[in-house]
Amino acid sequence: MFKHSLLLIYRGFVRSKTTFFINLVGLSTGLACALAVYLWVNDELSFDKYHQNEGRLFRVMENQRTPEGVNTRDGNTPLLAEALQAEMPEIEYAAVATPPNFFPKFTLVGKGKSIRAVGKYAAKGFFRIFTYPLIQGNPDQALVDKNAIVLSAEFATTLFGTPANAIGKSLEWQLADLKQTCVVSGVFDRIPPNSSEQFDFVLSFDAFKDIMKMGRRVDWADANGPFSTFVVLQEGANSEQFNNKIAGLLKRKSAKNANRTLFIEPYSASYLHGEHKNGVSVGGRIEYVKLFSAVATLILVIASINYMNLATAKASRRLKEIGVRKTLGASRATLVVHFLTESVLTAFLALLIAVVLVQIALPQFNEITGKHLTLAPKLSVMAAFLAIALLTGLLAGSYPAFYLSGFKPAAVFRGTLMNSVADLWTRKGLVVFQFTLSVLFIVCVLVIHRQIAFVQAKSLGYDKSNVIYFETGGKSAQQPGAFLAELKRLPGVVNASGMWGFFVEMGPHGPGPEVEWEGRKVATNNLGVNYDLLETLGIQIKEGRSFSRKFRSDSLKIIVNEALVARLGLQHPVGTALGTAQIVGVAKDFHYASLHEKVEPFIFRLEPQAAGTVLVKLAAGQEKETINRLRRFYQQFNAGMPLDYQFLDAAYQAQYASERRVALLSRYFAGLAIVISSLGLLGLTTFTAEKRRKEIGVRKVLGASQVSIVYLLSIDLAKLVIVAIALALPLSYLVVRQWLNSFEYRIPLEIWYFLGAGFLALLVAWITVGTQAVRAARANPVLCLRDE
C-alpha cells in the first residue's frame, strides 16, 4: 500500500513539474534559513552550560537604589566571597575574580620568549567552581601560592614546549609599570568556544590584594568594586531562600549600605539575560535569540503557505483521482495520510537541498554572526533537522490534505463541484499574510539600516578619527613621561596621551564611586588620565580649563562633565569641592558609552603616571607612514615587544556589532521572504493563466487588447498585496518603535520608511505577476482554442 502511495506521489510530481519545482525551491530556501538559525540559536543557548556545577553555580549581583532608580551591578567588593564562605553554610565554594577585560593584555616572558596574553586574577576555589579541567596540577592547590600562575595548554606549549614541561617553571609577567616573577602551578585545557569568557592564564587573587594593598578591612562591606563573586551552593540548597538570606547582608554590616541589596543569579543566565533596568532583568542577547527564531519560523510559514495555496488552487486537476479513490473505498483518513505523506516527502527532499545550501553559506553566515558553526554529523543536530522538516511538511500539507480529501465523489463526477467562498478567502488570506510579513521585514531593514547609519555619523563629543590606541609595557610603562614626550616628536603625530583603563564603553560593571554635594549623592564613572588626553580626543571644555603642567596642584583637581553638573544641580561648578577634589573644569557631554545609554556623570582625574593605554592622534593622510615610524620607535623603546595597536573608531563600532549583525541578517531575511512570497505569486499567476487559457483566447478573438488581459490576470492578486501593505504598516511601526526604544539616542520614524517598503513590495508583486500575465496575454488565441 505504501509503495503504491509513493508511486502515485511520484506521478503527481512528474505531472505538475512547475508546481513541484516552485514548492521545492520555496521549502528548501525556508528550511535552509531555519537550519542556519537553529545552529546559531543552539550555540547561543549552550553558552556556559558545560560547567559541572551548572544548576548550583551562581554569580552574586547587587542592586543599588538611587534617586534615578535601581542600578544593578555585577561587580562587588573584593572581600565579599570570603565573608560569604565564612558565614553562609549553604555555600560549598565561593571565589572572587577580576571581571572579563578588566586588564589590557599582559606580556608573558619565559625561556627567552615574549608573548601577549589575556589574564585574570582569581581566588583558590576558582578551578573547583568552574570546569576548566587541569591537565597538569591540582585544582585545589593551583592558586594557593601568591606567586602561582596557571597557564592554558596553548600558551604553556608556546613558552615551554609541552604542558608537562611548564610545571614548576618560572616566567615573568608585565603590565604597564608592574611586573612579577611567577611559577607555573597548573595548566588548564582549551576553554570551549561556548564560554562567555576566554583567557590565557590565571594569577592568584592574593597577589592582587598585595599589589592593591587590600588588607582584611573591618569596613569591607562599605566598599564598592568591580570584582566578580561566584558561589556554588550545597546540594539541595534553595536558591530563593538563599537570596532572601543574603539580601540584607551589607545592610547588616553597615548602616551606610541601606540602599544596597545582594542577590544571586545563575551564572549561565548572565550571557543571555545580562541586561537589567531598574533592578529587573529585561533580557539581553536572549532578545536576539527570540527574534531570529521567530523570523526563521515566519519564513518557514511563508514557504508553507506557498505549498498550501498551490495545492488547493490546483485541486481541479486532482478531482477525478480523488473521486475514483473514494469510489474504490478509500476513506477520508486514508486520503489525508496520502496528501500529508506527499507534503512530508517534498519537505524531506527540500531538506537535502537545504543542507547543501547551509553548507555552502555557512562560512558567510559565520562571518556575519561571529561564530564558528559547523554542520557536524551529531545525532542531536540530525534529529533536530529531521524534526524541523517533518513539522514543515505537516504544516504545509495540513490544509490541502483536509481540503482535498473532503470532496464528494458524486459532485466530482457530475462536474458540479464549485470552490466555496470560504476556500477562496482562505487562499486570499494566506497570500495577504505572506506579503504582510514581507513588508514588515522590509520596514525593519530600512529602519535598522538608518539607525546604524545614525550611530556611525552622530557627533560623539570627541573626535575618534585617526586615533590609535595601544597598551604599554616594559620601559614605556615605567617611564611614561619620557615615552609620551618622545612619541609626540615623531613626524605625523598630532598629539598623544595616556590613561588607566580604556576610553570606550566605560563602566561595564556599573557606575563607580559616588560623589556628594549638599546631601545629593551621584554615582559616577571616572578615569585617571595623563596630560593632553582631552586635547588628543578633542573633548571641549565648556567652563574652566583643562589640566595643565603649569599648575602643580592639578593632581588634586578634577574635570567633570555637564551631566554631573546637572545631576548635582551645581550653579557655579568651577571651584566647587567634591570631597577632597576641586573642580577645575567642565567638559561638554560626550558619549563614552554606546548610544543605547544616556550620558552619565563622568569625572576625569589627573594622574601624570597614567599610561596603561596610550592614545595617539595621527595626521590625516599620513596614517601608514606614521604608524610605521611609531612601530619602530616602540620597539626601540621596548626591546623585543611588538606594537599591538587598534583604531579608536573601530573600538567604537565594536559596541554595535550585534546591531550590524541584525541589520545584515534582516536584509537577507527580508530578501528571502520577498523571494519566497514572489514564488507563490508566480505559481498562482501561472496556474490562473493556464486555467483561464480558453477564456483568454475567446477574449482575444473578440477584440480584447493585451493590456486588458494583463489587467484581468493581475488585478485580483495586486489587490491582495495592497491589503497586505495596509495591514503591515501599523504592525511594522509597533515593531520598529519597540526596537528603537533600546537606544537612548535614535532616529525619528519617518513616513517614507513605511511607504517605501509598501511600494517596494507592490513593485515586486507587479513584476512577478505582470511577467506571467504578459506571457499569457501574448499567447496565440488559435493555440488556446484548438482543443475546443
Side-chain angles (χ1 to χ4, degrees), residues 8-319:
L8 290 177
I9 291 170
Y10 170 73
R11 288 175 178 172
F13 289 165
V14 172
R15 188 168 58 248
S16 304
K17 293 186 181 68
T18 302
T19 301
F20 173 67
F21 177 76
I22 290 174
N23 284 333
L24 193 62
V25 171
L27 288 175
S28 59
T29 305
L31 281 170
C33 173
L35 299 186
V37 170
Y38 168 80
L39 292 174
W40 181 82
V41 168
N42 189 53
D43 184 73
E44 288 285 284
L45 294 178
S46 71
F47 263 69
D48 296 329
K49 298 289 180 66
Y50 62 88
H51 295 290
Q52 293 178 1
N53 291 319
E54 166 67 14
R56 299 190 294 133
L57 172 56
F58 296 86
R59 179 197 298 270
V60 181
M61 309 280 287
E62 180 179 325
N63 280 332
Q64 292 185 353
R65 292 194 308 277
T66 69
E68 291 75 35
V70 178
N71 174 48
T72 301
R73 300 164 48 94
D74 60 5
N76 312 118
T77 173
L79 302 179
L80 177 62
E82 295 178 21
L84 290 174
Q85 183 80 74
E87 298 182 25
M88 302 291 169
E90 295 90 346
I91 292 178
E92 183 175 359
Y93 300 109
V96 60
T98 51
N101 305 319
F102 187 68
F103 299 104
K105 284 187 177 181
F106 290 71
T107 300
L108 298 182
V109 181
K111 291 193 71 173
K113 298 177 181 177
S114 176
I115 56 176
R116 304 280 281 179
V118 177
K120 67 182 298 158
Y121 285 91
K124 60 183 179 180
F126 183 78
F127 288 102
R128 281 299 183 191
I129 291 175
F130 296 99
T131 304
Y132 302 122
L134 294 188
I135 55 179
Q136 297 290 331
N138 185 330
D140 289 321
Q141 301 298 320
L143 294 173
V144 170
D145 193 289
K146 290 183 180 181
N147 296 320
I149 183 171
V150 185
L151 293 174
S152 69
E154 178 186 356
F155 276 74
T157 303
T158 300
L159 290 172
F160 301 105
T162 67
N165 288 342
I167 297 298
K169 297 293 194 304
S170 296
L171 61 79
E172 183 181 76
W173 63 257
Q174 298 179 6
L175 179 66
D177 60 342
L178 300 174
K179 60 181 175 179
Q180 181 182 355
T181 299
C182 293
V183 177
V184 179
S185 60
V187 178
F188 57 87
D189 206 352
R190 184 180 69 89
I191 298 177
N194 60 341
S195 172
S196 60
E197 187 178 0
Q198 301 286 332
F199 49 87
D200 304 312
F201 66 91
V202 183
L203 298 166
S204 170
F205 197 81
D206 287 337
F208 184 76
K209 289 197 292 185
D210 285 350
I211 293 172
M212 303 303 294
K213 297 180 173 55
M214 295 178 184
R216 179 67 190 181
R217 295 169 47 187
V218 177
D219 61 343
W220 64 267
D222 294 338
N224 276 309
F227 303 100
S228 302
T229 303
F230 307 102
V231 298
V232 173
L233 298 186
Q234 300 280 3
E235 291 282 359
N238 184 287
S239 60
E240 289 300 322
Q241 292 178 0
F242 183 76
N243 252 340
N244 295 332
K245 187 172 181 179
I246 68 168
L249 176 65
L250 298 180
K251 195 184 307 181
R252 292 194 296 271
K253 296 293 181 181
S254 172
K256 297 179 181 179
N257 298 319
N259 64 336
R260 301 171 65 186
T261 304
L262 296 177
F263 68 97
I264 59 172
E265 76 170 17
Y267 175 71
S268 60
S270 300
Y271 177 76
L272 291 175
H273 302 270
E275 187 176 341
H276 296 77
K277 286 189 177 179
N278 207 28
V280 178
S281 175
V282 293
R285 292 180 67 93
I286 190 64
E287 300 302 323
Y288 291 119
V289 170
K290 294 176 181 177
L291 173 65
F292 291 147
S293 299
V295 168
T297 301
L298 290 175
I299 287 178
L300 272 183
V301 169
I302 291 174
S304 299
I305 287 173
N306 281 354
Y307 188 98
M308 294 178 189
N309 273 338
L310 291 176
T312 53
K314 297 177 75 68
S316 59
R317 290 190 172 185
R318 309 193 68 170
L319 292 180

Side-chain angles (χ1 to χ4, degrees), residues 445-731:
V445 168
L446 291 174
V447 172
I448 292 172
H449 175 75
R450 292 296 302 166
Q451 176 64 19
I452 296 300
F454 170 77
V455 164
Q456 293 172 335
K458 180 174 172 55
S459 174
L460 303 175
Y462 67 93
D463 184 8
K464 63 183 184 298
S465 61
N466 300 320
V467 176
I468 65 170
Y469 68 94
F470 54 87
E471 296 148 3
T472 57
K475 188 178 176 182
S476 60
Q478 296 163 14
Q479 302 175 19
F483 176 74
L484 289 173
E486 292 187 38
L487 178 59
K488 292 177 183 179
R489 297 192 187 103
L490 291 178
V493 173
V494 177
N495 211 335
S497 185
M499 65 175 69
W500 295 125
F502 187 45
F503 180 75
V504 177
E505 194 63 64
M506 287 290 296
H509 310 285
E514 291 182 334
V515 295
E516 184 176 359
W517 186 76
E518 293 188 352
R520 298 181 185 177
K521 292 183 178 180
V522 174
T524 65
N525 282 295
N526 62 91
L527 189 67
V529 302
N530 214 314
Y531 292 106
D532 301 326
L533 188 282
L534 279 75
E535 290 75 8
T536 300
L537 292 172
I539 297 174
Q540 297 182 15
I541 297 295
K542 181 181 179 181
E543 296 181 50
R545 61 176 176 83
S546 183
F547 297 123
S548 174
R549 294 176 179 84
K550 297 178 181 178
F551 302 95
R552 294 184 178 181
S553 62
D554 269 7
S555 57
L556 302 176
K557 312 292 186 181
I558 57 176
I559 296 175
V560 302
N561 67 346
E562 293 174 294
L564 179 57
V565 171
R567 195 73 61 86
L568 289 176
L570 299 175
Q571 297 297 321
H572 304 286
V574 176
T576 299
L578 296 180
T580 58
Q582 187 182 52
I583 298 174
V584 72
V586 178
K588 289 187 177 181
D589 280 341
F590 60 100
H591 295 276
Y592 54 88
S594 78
L595 297 185
H596 286 284
E597 310 295 335
K598 63 181 179 180
V599 176
E600 296 290 347
F602 195 93
I603 294 176
F604 289 106
R605 308 182 317 273
L606 176 64
E607 296 189 19
Q609 296 302 309
T613 302
V614 170
L615 293 96
V616 182
K617 178 73 172 181
L618 308 176
Q622 304 178 36
E623 294 88 353
K624 185 176 180 180
E625 299 86 348
T626 307
I627 288 174
N628 287 333
R629 295 188 197 102
L630 180 57
R631 183 181 286 112
R632 292 192 295 270
F633 165 73
Y634 187 83
Q635 291 176 347
Q636 290 171 4
F637 211 91
N638 301 290
M641 295 179 64
L643 176 66
D644 184 12
Y645 70 90
Q646 286 183 292
F647 278 89
L648 183 58
D649 54 1
Y652 170 76
Q653 295 298 337
Q655 298 178 97
Y656 306 99
S658 296
E659 286 76 12
R660 286 200 302 277
R661 288 167 184 162
V662 170
L664 193 53
L665 287 173
S666 297
R667 201 178 307 164
Y668 287 128
F669 290 149
L672 287 175
I674 285 289
V675 167
I676 296 173
S677 299
S678 298
L679 281 174
L681 277 186
L682 179 66
L684 286 175
T685 307
T686 303
F687 175 73
T688 301
E690 187 178 342
K691 186 178 179 181
R692 304 177 71 172
R693 188 164 174 254
K694 294 182 177 62
E695 176 192 345
I696 292 170
V698 171
R699 286 178 178 271
K700 292 193 74 174
V701 169
L702 295 176
S705 65
Q706 289 186 12
V707 173
S708 64
I709 299 297
V710 171
Y711 178 82
L712 177 71
L713 295 175
S714 306
I715 188 60
D716 288 340
L717 291 176
K719 287 179 180 177
L720 297 181
V721 175
I722 292 173
V723 171
I725 293 171
L727 293 175
L729 296 187
L731 177 62

